[in-house]
Amino acid sequence: MIIILTVLSGGTGTPKLLQGLKRFLSEELNIIVNTAEDTWINDLYVSPDVDTVLYTLADLINEDVWYGRRDDTFTTHETLKAFGIDELLRIGDKDRALKMHKAYYLKKGYKLCEIIDMERELFNIKAKVLPMSDDRVETKILTKLNGKLDLLKFHDFWVKRKGNVDVIDVIYENITYAKPCEKALRAIEKSKAIIIGPSNPITSIGPILAFDEIREGISKKKTIVVSPIVGNSPISGPAGKLMRAKGYDSSIYGIYEFYKDLVDILIIDISDKDKAKDFDCEVITTNIIMRTLEDKLRLAKEILELV
Ligand SMILES: C[C@H](OP(=O)(O)OP(=O)(O)OC[C@H]1O[C@@H](n2cnc3c(=O)[nH]c(N)nc32)[C@H](O)[C@@H]1O)C(=O)O
Ligand SMILES: O=c1nc2n(C[C@H](O)[C@H](O)[C@H](O)CO)c3cc(O)ccc3cc-2c(=O)[nH]1
Ligand SMILES: [Mg+2]
């Protein structure tokens, strides 16, 4: 009997875990991906977390930065810069084709989920890669610049300003009107368990869980959460700062608080084991820091044994 699982993912932490999971599962795996950082850059449609998941599953990902393709070239990016067009994101030539492919079919009226499914097939990926929505939702960071309130696009906050601004709030623009992707809802329904991967709770998993129907569907399933935080810090990125801005402690206490309505099993790092008794759910302590492929395979295997 094939065990169907659904994983919620952003673009760095969970893709590392996917490198482990993909060794044990193929078509049984559904990945619902955050699309609230999607953006048009000139004529390219950039869906950063989706593209990182596709490249990770196709073994093409650049693991130094967790975006773009390994061994890509940057001729067009550099030439555009010479022409005075500075793309905020350093987009490789092969990677550009994937973003042009999305733009081409979006302009023809295709749904994002249909285009991603075409791309999954082009990369011979067996797992289903599903956007959280086919509608635009955009994460914005509320801050104060020169004494004035300003709402920054995520890439302005993270790529241009390196996250070096005070974060007053984080909002998901258009979430009220956007609809979850039907295929994502079906995947949750068919799943034996849901894995909320070690991604940024606020800007990667938060947008996905902001859809009531997605939350509702997950609440009916065994849900395993892998913490992206060890001690009081995320292993990388702005998750700690963003959690504090939303009123959550940058610790596994904050992680539990954020997921408490959904989590059945919380996986924390061995270094946090003394806190394991403080949670009203099953807690597994293990090494959750994935440096090597062996780390990723071991963590994936430990998780699959819980399903
Ligand atoms: C900017 C970045 O967002 P994104 O690139 O989308 O990344 P994710 O939200 O998917 O993941 C960031 C998240 O991942 C955690 N992380 C990273 N490596 C590990 C690891 O080996 N183990 C583990 N348990 N978590 C890991 C990291 O702490 C980050 O919070 C972003 O928001 O960082
Ligand atoms: O911080 C960066 N993030 C880059 N990213 C990642 C990205 O947009 C953000 O860091 C993620 O959205 C964070 O979740 C890219 C993603 C792509 O799909 C393609 C190219 C890039 C290029 C950059 C980049 O130059 N700098
Ligand atoms: Mg992301």
Side-chain angles (χ1 to χ4, degrees):
M1 193 266 277
I2 59 167
I3 297 179
I4 297 179
L5 290 181
T6 291
V7 182
L8 305 191
S9 183
T12 302
T14 308
K16 291 183 181 177
L17 178 61
L18 290 175
Q19 287 183 313
L21 288 170
K22 72 193 279 287
R23 295 297 178 95
F24 304 102
L25 296 169
S26 54
E27 66 270 13
E28 314 89 328
L29 208 46
N30 302 296
I31 301 109
I32 298 177
V33 191
N34 169 47
T35 54
E37 289 160 27
D38 289 14
T39 182
W40 284 92
I41 297 185
N42 305 324
D43 290 341
L44 305 176
Y45 186 80
V46 180
S47 188
D49 292 356
V50 166
D51 291 356
T52 286
V53 167
L54 287 170
Y55 289 143
T56 299
L57 295 173
D59 292 325
L60 291 169
I61 187 67
N62 175 335
E63 289 189 34
D64 299 333
V65 287
W66 289 95
Y67 60 78
R69 290 174 63 147
R70 179 177 61 243
D71 310 334
D72 208 340
T73 52
F74 293 87
T75 309
T76 306
H77 178 77
E78 300 304 336
T79 309
L80 278 170
K81 200 181 283 185
F83 291 171
I85 298 177
D86 189 356
E87 298 172 309
L88 177 62
L89 303 183
R90 191 165 175 270
I91 297 170
D93 297 314
K94 288 200 186 89
D95 186 27
R96 187 176 301 276
L98 184 62
K99 290 145 168 75
M100 287 169 80
H101 180 266
K102 285 188 182 64
Y104 177 80
Y105 282 102
L106 282 171
K107 287 174 187 166
K108 278 176 170 289
Y110 283 66
K111 289 199 281 188
L112 184 58
C113 66
E114 292 166 332
I115 304 167
I116 295 169
D117 211 42
M118 288 158 69
E119 293 168 351
R120 170 185 74 87
E121 305 230 334
L122 287 168
F123 287 128
N124 296 317
I125 292 167
K126 297 274 178 293
K128 305 282 180 302
V129 182
L130 305 163
M132 66 185 196
S133 173
D134 291 314
D135 301 325
R136 289 303 315 277
V137 172
E138 209 171 339
T139 296
K140 292 280 176 77
I141 306 289
L142 182 67
T143 183
K144 239 187 195 160
L145 295 179
N146 312 318
K148 276 181 65 230
L149 278 180
D150 206 342
L151 211 45
L152 303 181
K153 287 171 92 74
F154 185 77
H155 285 124
D156 184 346
F157 162 74
W158 181 239
V159 181
K160 191 166 158 219
R161 300 168 190 273
K162 307 269 176 274
N164 295 326
V165 295
D166 286 342
V167 180
I168 299 168
D169 199 358
V170 181
I171 66 154
Y172 309 137
E173 212 166 65
N174 191 41
I175 194 69
T176 316
Y177 305 101
K179 292 279 166 262
C181 173
E182 274 304 318
K183 289 183 184 172
L185 296 176
R186 293 296 77 73
I188 292 166
E189 266 166 32
K190 285 186 303 190
S191 291
K192 182 160 190 270
I194 309 294
I195 300 170
I196 298 184
S199 283
N200 187 319
I202 308 300
T203 49
S204 293
I205 306 295
I208 302 173
L209 295 179
F211 292 96
D212 293 341
E213 302 98 307
I214 288 182
R215 279 190 93 88
E216 175 68 24
I218 290 176
S219 66
K220 296 179 182 129
K221 301 287 176 177
K222 176 190 254 189
T223 302
I224 300 164
V225 172
V226 184
S227 173
I229 289 193
V230 175
N232 289 107
S233 306
I235 288 156
S236 61
K241 177 177 211 168
L242 299 176
M243 284 176 72
R244 283 191 294 274
K246 295 300 280 185
Y248 296 95
D249 198 35
S250 175
S251 67
I252 49 170
Y253 295 105
I255 291 294
Y256 175 74
E257 204 48 39
F258 189 79
Y259 293 117
K260 68 172 187 261
D261 300 348
L262 299 171
V263 63
D264 296 300
I265 304 177
L266 176 61
I267 302 182
I268 65 175
D269 193 68
I270 200 91
S271 58
D272 280 317
K273 68 178 181 304
D274 57 320
K275 304 177 183 112
K277 63 191 179 324
D278 299 343
F279 304 106
D280 188 17
C281 69
E282 188 181 343
V283 178
I284 305 285
T285 56
T286 185
N287 170 17
I288 62 170
I289 300 176
M290 295 173 274
R291 292 189 187 87
T292 65
L293 181 58
E294 286 63 38
D295 293 336
K296 297 162 186 174
L297 290 167
R298 178 191 38 72
L299 184 55
K301 202 156 174 293
E302 284 180 64
I303 291 169
L304 292 177
E305 280 157 12
L306 298 167
V307 168

Short mmCIF file of all heavy atoms in Angstrom, two decimals, residues 189-220:
data_model
loop_
_atom_site.label_atom_id
_atom_site.label_comp_id
_atom_site.label_asym_id
_atom_site.label_seq_id
_atom_site.Cartn_x
_atom_site.Cartn_y
_atom_site.Cartn_z
N GLU A 189 -6.01 15.83 1.51
CA GLU A 189 -7.07 14.85 1.78
C GLU A 189 -6.57 13.41 1.62
O GLU A 189 -6.90 12.53 2.40
CB GLU A 189 -8.23 15.05 0.79
CG GLU A 189 -9.36 15.94 1.27
CD GLU A 189 -10.27 16.34 0.09
OE1 GLU A 189 -10.42 15.55 -0.86
OE2 GLU A 189 -10.75 17.47 0.14
N LYS A 190 -5.74 13.19 0.59
CA LYS A 190 -5.30 11.81 0.27
C LYS A 190 -4.12 11.37 1.15
O LYS A 190 -3.72 10.22 1.11
CB LYS A 190 -4.87 11.72 -1.20
CG LYS A 190 -6.03 11.72 -2.19
CD LYS A 190 -5.55 11.48 -3.62
CE LYS A 190 -4.52 12.51 -4.03
NZ LYS A 190 -4.19 12.48 -5.46
N SER A 191 -3.56 12.31 1.93
CA SER A 191 -2.31 12.00 2.64
C SER A 191 -2.53 11.26 3.94
O SER A 191 -3.51 11.51 4.64
CB SER A 191 -1.54 13.30 2.93
OG SER A 191 -1.08 13.82 1.70
N LYS A 192 -1.59 10.37 4.25
CA LYS A 192 -1.63 9.65 5.54
C LYS A 192 -1.12 10.59 6.63
O LYS A 192 -1.52 10.53 7.78
CB LYS A 192 -0.77 8.38 5.45
CG LYS A 192 -0.77 7.53 6.70
CD LYS A 192 -0.32 6.10 6.43
CE LYS A 192 -0.57 5.23 7.64
NZ LYS A 192 0.60 5.23 8.57
N ALA A 193 -0.17 11.46 6.26
CA ALA A 193 0.40 12.41 7.24
C ALA A 193 0.91 13.65 6.51
O ALA A 193 1.13 13.62 5.29
CB ALA A 193 1.53 11.75 8.02
N ILE A 194 1.06 14.70 7.29
CA ILE A 194 1.55 15.98 6.75
C ILE A 194 2.87 16.28 7.44
O ILE A 194 2.97 16.14 8.68
CB ILE A 194 0.57 17.14 7.06
CG1 ILE A 194 -0.86 16.77 6.64
CG2 ILE A 194 1.05 18.45 6.42
CD1 ILE A 194 -1.10 16.58 5.18
N ILE A 195 3.87 16.69 6.66
CA ILE A 195 5.15 17.10 7.26
C ILE A 195 5.31 18.60 7.04
O ILE A 195 5.35 19.06 5.89
CB ILE A 195 6.34 16.36 6.63
CG1 ILE A 195 6.19 14.84 6.83
CG2 ILE A 195 7.67 16.85 7.23
CD1 ILE A 195 7.19 14.01 6.03
N ILE A 196 5.33 19.36 8.13
CA ILE A 196 5.62 20.80 8.02
C ILE A 196 7.14 20.92 8.18
O ILE A 196 7.68 20.69 9.27
CB ILE A 196 4.87 21.62 9.08
CG1 ILE A 196 3.35 21.47 8.87
CG2 ILE A 196 5.31 23.09 9.02
CD1 ILE A 196 2.48 22.31 9.79
N GLY A 197 7.82 21.20 7.05
CA GLY A 197 9.27 21.16 7.05
C GLY A 197 9.91 22.31 7.80
O GLY A 197 9.24 23.26 8.18
N PRO A 198 11.24 22.20 8.03
CA PRO A 198 11.97 23.21 8.79
C PRO A 198 12.21 24.46 7.94
O PRO A 198 13.35 24.82 7.62
CB PRO A 198 13.28 22.53 9.16
CG PRO A 198 13.51 21.57 8.05
CD PRO A 198 12.15 21.14 7.58
N SER A 199 11.13 25.12 7.56
CA SER A 199 11.20 26.36 6.80
C SER A 199 10.80 27.52 7.69
O SER A 199 10.32 27.32 8.81
CB SER A 199 10.31 26.28 5.55
OG SER A 199 10.94 25.50 4.54
N ASN A 200 10.96 28.72 7.20
CA ASN A 200 10.64 29.92 7.96
C ASN A 200 9.14 29.93 8.28
O ASN A 200 8.32 30.00 7.36
CB ASN A 200 11.01 31.15 7.11
CG ASN A 200 10.87 32.45 7.86
OD1 ASN A 200 9.92 32.66 8.62
ND2 ASN A 200 11.82 33.34 7.65
N PRO A 201 8.77 29.85 9.58
CA PRO A 201 7.34 29.75 9.89
C PRO A 201 6.55 30.95 9.38
O PRO A 201 5.38 30.84 9.02
CB PRO A 201 7.32 29.70 11.42
CG PRO A 201 8.69 29.31 11.83
CD PRO A 201 9.60 29.85 10.78
N ILE A 202 7.17 32.14 9.39
CA ILE A 202 6.43 33.37 9.07
C ILE A 202 6.32 33.59 7.56
O ILE A 202 5.24 33.85 7.03
CB ILE A 202 7.09 34.60 9.74
CG1 ILE A 202 7.28 34.36 11.24
CG2 ILE A 202 6.28 35.87 9.46
CD1 ILE A 202 6.02 34.09 12.03
N THR A 203 7.45 33.48 6.84
CA THR A 203 7.39 33.86 5.41
C THR A 203 7.34 32.66 4.47
O THR A 203 7.17 32.84 3.27
CB THR A 203 8.61 34.73 5.04
OG1 THR A 203 9.79 34.10 5.51
CG2 THR A 203 8.48 36.12 5.63
N SER A 204 7.53 31.43 4.98
CA SER A 204 7.42 30.27 4.08
C SER A 204 6.21 29.40 4.39
O SER A 204 5.44 29.08 3.50
CB SER A 204 8.70 29.41 4.17
OG SER A 204 9.80 30.14 3.65
N ILE A 205 6.05 29.01 5.68
CA ILE A 205 4.93 28.14 6.03
C ILE A 205 3.67 28.97 6.34
O ILE A 205 2.55 28.59 5.97
CB ILE A 205 5.29 27.24 7.24
CG1 ILE A 205 6.58 26.46 6.98
CG2 ILE A 205 4.13 26.31 7.58
CD1 ILE A 205 6.54 25.44 5.86
N GLY A 206 3.87 30.14 6.95
CA GLY A 206 2.74 31.00 7.32
C GLY A 206 1.80 31.30 6.17
O GLY A 206 0.57 31.14 6.32
N PRO A 207 2.31 31.69 5.00
CA PRO A 207 1.39 31.98 3.88
C PRO A 207 0.55 30.76 3.49
O PRO A 207 -0.62 30.87 3.17
CB PRO A 207 2.32 32.40 2.75
CG PRO A 207 3.55 32.91 3.43
CD PRO A 207 3.70 32.07 4.65
N ILE A 208 1.17 29.57 3.56
CA ILE A 208 0.43 28.34 3.18
C ILE A 208 -0.69 28.08 4.18
O ILE A 208 -1.84 27.81 3.82
CB ILE A 208 1.38 27.12 3.13
CG1 ILE A 208 2.54 27.35 2.16
CG2 ILE A 208 0.61 25.85 2.75
CD1 ILE A 208 3.63 26.27 2.18
N LEU A 209 -0.37 28.25 5.47
CA LEU A 209 -1.36 27.98 6.53
C LEU A 209 -2.37 29.11 6.68
O LEU A 209 -3.33 28.99 7.43
CB LEU A 209 -0.65 27.74 7.87
CG LEU A 209 0.24 26.50 7.94
CD1 LEU A 209 0.90 26.40 9.33
CD2 LEU A 209 -0.56 25.22 7.64
N ALA A 210 -2.15 30.20 5.94
CA ALA A 210 -3.10 31.33 6.04
C ALA A 210 -4.39 31.02 5.28
O ALA A 210 -5.39 31.74 5.40
CB ALA A 210 -2.45 32.60 5.49
N PHE A 211 -4.39 29.94 4.49
CA PHE A 211 -5.63 29.51 3.80
C PHE A 211 -6.40 28.60 4.76
O PHE A 211 -5.92 27.52 5.13
CB PHE A 211 -5.29 28.75 2.52
CG PHE A 211 -4.67 29.61 1.44
CD1 PHE A 211 -3.30 29.67 1.29
CD2 PHE A 211 -5.48 30.37 0.60
CE1 PHE A 211 -2.73 30.47 0.31
CE2 PHE A 211 -4.92 31.18 -0.38
CZ PHE A 211 -3.55 31.23 -0.52
N ASP A 212 -7.61 29.05 5.15
CA ASP A 212 -8.40 28.28 6.14
C ASP A 212 -8.62 26.84 5.68
O ASP A 212 -8.52 25.91 6.48
CB ASP A 212 -9.77 28.95 6.36
CG ASP A 212 -9.61 30.32 7.06
OD1 ASP A 212 -8.51 30.52 7.67
OD2 ASP A 212 -10.51 31.14 6.97
N GLU A 213 -8.87 26.66 4.34
CA GLU A 213 -9.16 25.29 3.88
C GLU A 213 -7.94 24.40 4.01
O GLU A 213 -8.04 23.20 4.24
CB GLU A 213 -9.63 25.28 2.41
CG GLU A 213 -10.86 26.11 2.13
CD GLU A 213 -10.49 27.47 1.58
OE1 GLU A 213 -9.66 28.16 2.22
OE2 GLU A 213 -11.00 27.84 0.51
N ILE A 214 -6.76 24.99 3.86
CA ILE A 214 -5.52 24.19 4.00
C ILE A 214 -5.35 23.81 5.48
O ILE A 214 -5.11 22.65 5.81
CB ILE A 214 -4.29 24.96 3.45
CG1 ILE A 214 -4.36 25.01 1.92
CG2 ILE A 214 -2.98 24.32 3.93
CD1 ILE A 214 -3.19 25.69 1.22
N ARG A 215 -5.53 24.79 6.36
CA ARG A 215 -5.42 24.52 7.81
C ARG A 215 -6.41 23.44 8.22
O ARG A 215 -6.09 22.48 8.91
CB ARG A 215 -5.71 25.77 8.63
CG ARG A 215 -4.63 26.75 8.81
CD ARG A 215 -5.01 27.80 9.86
NE ARG A 215 -4.55 27.41 11.16
CZ ARG A 215 -3.32 27.72 11.63
NH1 ARG A 215 -2.48 28.41 10.88
NH2 ARG A 215 -2.96 27.33 12.81
N GLU A 216 -7.65 23.61 7.73
CA GLU A 216 -8.75 22.69 8.05
C GLU A 216 -8.38 21.27 7.62
O GLU A 216 -8.47 20.31 8.39
CB GLU A 216 -10.01 23.19 7.30
CG GLU A 216 -11.23 22.32 7.41
CD GLU A 216 -11.80 22.31 8.83
OE1 GLU A 216 -11.55 23.27 9.57
OE2 GLU A 216 -12.44 21.32 9.20
N GLY A 217 -7.87 21.15 6.40
CA GLY A 217 -7.49 19.83 5.87
C GLY A 217 -6.36 19.20 6.68
O GLY A 217 -6.41 18.02 7.05
N ILE A 218 -5.37 20.03 7.03
CA ILE A 218 -4.21 19.51 7.79
C ILE A 218 -4.62 19.10 9.20
O ILE A 218 -4.12 18.10 9.75
CB ILE A 218 -3.09 20.57 7.82
CG1 ILE A 218 -2.48 20.72 6.43
CG2 ILE A 218 -2.01 20.22 8.85
CD1 ILE A 218 -1.44 21.81 6.31
N SER A 219 -5.58 19.85 9.78
CA SER A 219 -5.98 19.57 11.17
C SER A 219 -6.56 18.16 11.31
O SER A 219 -6.60 17.60 12.40
CB SER A 219 -7.00 20.60 11.66
OG SER A 219 -8.22 20.45 10.91
N LYS A 220 -6.98 17.57 10.18
CA LYS A 220 -7.58 16.23 10.24
C LYS A 220 -6.54 15.11 10.08
O LYS A 220 -6.86 13.93 10.09
CB LYS A 220 -8.64 16.07 9.14
CG LYS A 220 -9.83 17.01 9.29
CD LYS A 220 -10.82 16.82 8.16
CE LYS A 220 -11.99 17.82 8.29
NZ LYS A 220 -12.23 18.54 7.02
#
